[in-house]
Amino acid sequence: MGTFIIEGGRPLQGDITPQGAKNEALQVISAVLLTSDEVRISNVPDIRDVQNLIKLLTDVGVSVHTNAPGDYTFRADHLDLHSLESDTFVERSAALRGSVLMMGPLLARTGRAVMAKPGGDKIGRRRMDTHIQGFIALGAKLRRLHGRDVYELNGHQLRGSYMLLDEASVTGTANIVMAAVRAEGTTTIYNAACEPYVQQLCRMLVRMGAHIDGIGSNLLTIHGVAELHGTQHRLLPDMIEVGSFIGMAAMVGQGIRIRDVSPADLGIIPQAFRRLGVKIDVDGTDIVVPWQRHYAVDTFLDGSTMTLADAPWPGLTPDLLSVFITVATQARGTVLIHQKMFESRLFFVDKLIDMGAQIILCDPHRAVIVGHDHQRKLHAQRMSSPDIRAGIALLIAAMSANGTSRIDNIEQIDRGYEHIEQRLNALGACIRREG
């Protein structure tokens, strides 16, 4: 198990460029299974989840060529469906939640997919019902393989259907879209997720020959086609990493420029940071976060306490609430963070409390943070990263704290952030990797 040793109190200054989007990468890389032609994808982040997905693709016969760092050409022209039932494939797919995104394209292309119970972050239950109900609506049949916690989907003649999703699931929408593009007839998906990364997937599929109407809305209409062809695709910058860097700049920055962030695809993220009092300037495709002695939390117009809550796009992404909580610990004022979409994501705040933060955990979904206004610094602690996003939040806290902190289980951070200690050390941080 790896560890970060962080010397706190080091100010950060300079320029940093976000990696390609993790969540988009998992979707579009899975989509290469839909065609036997070459698909080239660039700006791919070098992170554990992506590399594990690529390894799963090679296990089922996809050839992968590395053109340059972060630039791959995939070709799924000789798929090995027998490997889907192997213990090795099941174990690897169970360890990676993103592996569920292989189901839709495999079902569409081959009429068969195998699913193990997916792993990933320990942030509460994340149901697969939306995915499965969508596949069943397209005509697939689900059965459990005898004696194993593994499920098989069969659907050799998928047919378009109308469906109203029970939740605007991002991975559920992406999975159903990938299955529907090669189904016979028309599929209508209402209450579809419309995050930029789902939009990117849909645009890539259109370049491959799919017919999709309503991209960017919560109502998608897909006219199935018999075959798809190859294409080239470049990932957007990762909005979660951009938000993480904004949080770092607010807590320990002395002026940081975040380059090539695609501001139009950040949604409400900059506005939410501004509600915490963080100054953010947009300069072309860059974001500049200047040094601030203080940042003061807004109130609502009636003077009541500011509340930040997650919501499906274009609402605030739940992946950044851990960062917002950490940033709020040094703000001037009080904010209520309401985590609606997952049931265990706030349980890391006990670690911030141990560092001296003033946080009241009201219940599994709500926390009240009383900011220190930089009058009382957090103090160093030994911690363990429970998930990707809590991990980066704890890293931000450790960089701002007095003393030397230790964060264990950094493999969770590595799942979502590329060479993070090297990139932050280039800005002035002091982070050492051990193990």
Side-chain angles (χ1 to χ4, degrees), residues 47-69:
I47 57 178
R48 281 179 178 266
D49 275 12
V50 169
Q51 293 303 328
N52 287 341
L53 178 61
I54 291 174
K55 182 65 175 68
L56 283 174
L57 291 178
T58 62
D59 287 346
V60 299
V62 178
S63 65
V64 182
H65 175 73
T66 304
N67 306 304

Side-chain angles (χ1 to χ4, degrees), residues 248-302:
M248 291 177 192
M251 290 278 281
V252 293
Q254 289 192 342
I256 291 179
R257 177 180 289 268
I258 310 169
R259 294 194 172 277
D260 299 325
V261 304
S262 188
D265 293 303
L266 294 178
I268 203 172
I269 292 171
Q271 180 182 337
F273 276 107
R274 291 183 180 115
R275 287 184 168 181
L276 293 183
V278 179
K279 293 181 180 176
I280 298 174
D281 300 320
V282 178
D283 182 13
T285 61
D286 298 349
I287 275 181
V288 178
V289 185
W291 175 78
Q292 291 178 252
R293 185 179 298 276
H294 305 281
Y295 48 97
V297 180
D298 256 346
T299 60
F300 288 113
L301 292 176
D302 62 359

Side-chain angles (χ1 to χ4, degrees), residues 198-276:
V198 175
Q199 298 176 38
Q200 284 281 95
L201 170 67
C202 289
R203 294 187 185 108
M204 172 179 159
L205 293 173
V206 168
R207 291 196 301 275
M208 294 171 69
H211 296 163
I212 305 175
D213 299 324
I215 297 173
S217 75
N218 69 348
L219 178 61
L220 296 175
T221 303
I222 302 161
H223 307 282
V225 296
E227 292 186 354
L228 297 177
H229 51 73
T231 190
Q232 295 187 17
H233 182 80
R234 180 175 176 81
L235 302 182
L236 286 174
D238 194 309
M239 72 167 80
I240 312 305
E241 192 171 73
V242 172
S244 301
F245 291 155
I246 294 173
M248 291 177 192
M251 290 278 281
V252 293
Q254 289 192 342
I256 291 179
R257 177 180 289 268
I258 310 169
R259 294 194 172 277
D260 299 325
V261 304
S262 188
D265 293 303
L266 294 178
I268 203 172
I269 292 171
Q271 180 182 337
F273 276 107
R274 291 183 180 115
R275 287 184 168 181
L276 293 183

Side-chain angles (χ1 to χ4, degrees), residues 68 102 179 185 219 384 413:
M102 296 173 61
L219 178 61
S384 181
I413 301 174

Side-chain angles (χ1 to χ4, degrees), residues 264-397:
D265 293 303
L266 294 178
I268 203 172
I269 292 171
Q271 180 182 337
F273 276 107
R274 291 183 180 115
R275 287 184 168 181
L276 293 183
V278 179
K279 293 181 180 176
I280 298 174
D281 300 320
V282 178
D283 182 13
T285 61
D286 298 349
I287 275 181
V288 178
V289 185
W291 175 78
Q292 291 178 252
R293 185 179 298 276
H294 305 281
Y295 48 97
V297 180
D298 256 346
T299 60
F300 288 113
L301 292 176
D302 62 359
S304 57
T305 299
M306 176 58 60
T307 298
L308 294 179
D310 59 340
W313 185 270
L316 183 61
T317 172
D319 285 345
L320 278 174
L321 288 191
S322 303
V323 172
F324 281 110
I325 290 172
T326 302
V327 173
T329 65
Q330 293 300 321
R332 177 190 293 165
T334 300
V335 62
L336 170 65
I337 301 292
H338 191 172
Q339 216 298 359
K340 299 177 181 178
M341 297 174 67
F342 300 104
E343 60 195 7
S344 306
R345 206 159 208 166
L346 299 187
F347 286 169
F348 83 103
V349 303
D350 63 321
K351 299 172 176 62
L352 296 179
I353 293 170
D354 289 343
M355 298 178 79
Q358 290 185 288
I359 303 175
I360 303 166
L361 185 59
C362 307
D363 55 43
H365 295 278
R366 295 177 300 163
V368 175
I369 303 95
V370 181
H372 291 165
D373 193 21
H374 291 294
Q375 299 303 305
R376 188 171 67 194
K377 294 288 187 182
L378 301 177
H379 50 258
Q381 282 287 321
R382 178 168 184 170
M383 303 167 279
S384 181
S385 173
D387 63 75
I388 302 174
R389 308 310 176 184
I392 202 68
L394 294 175
L395 182 58
I396 296 171

Side-chain angles (χ1 to χ4, degrees), residues 12-26:
L12 306 186
Q13 189 173 29
D15 297 3
I16 192 166
T17 302
Q19 67 190 27
K22 166 187 176 285
N23 291 339
E24 180 185 350
L26 298 177

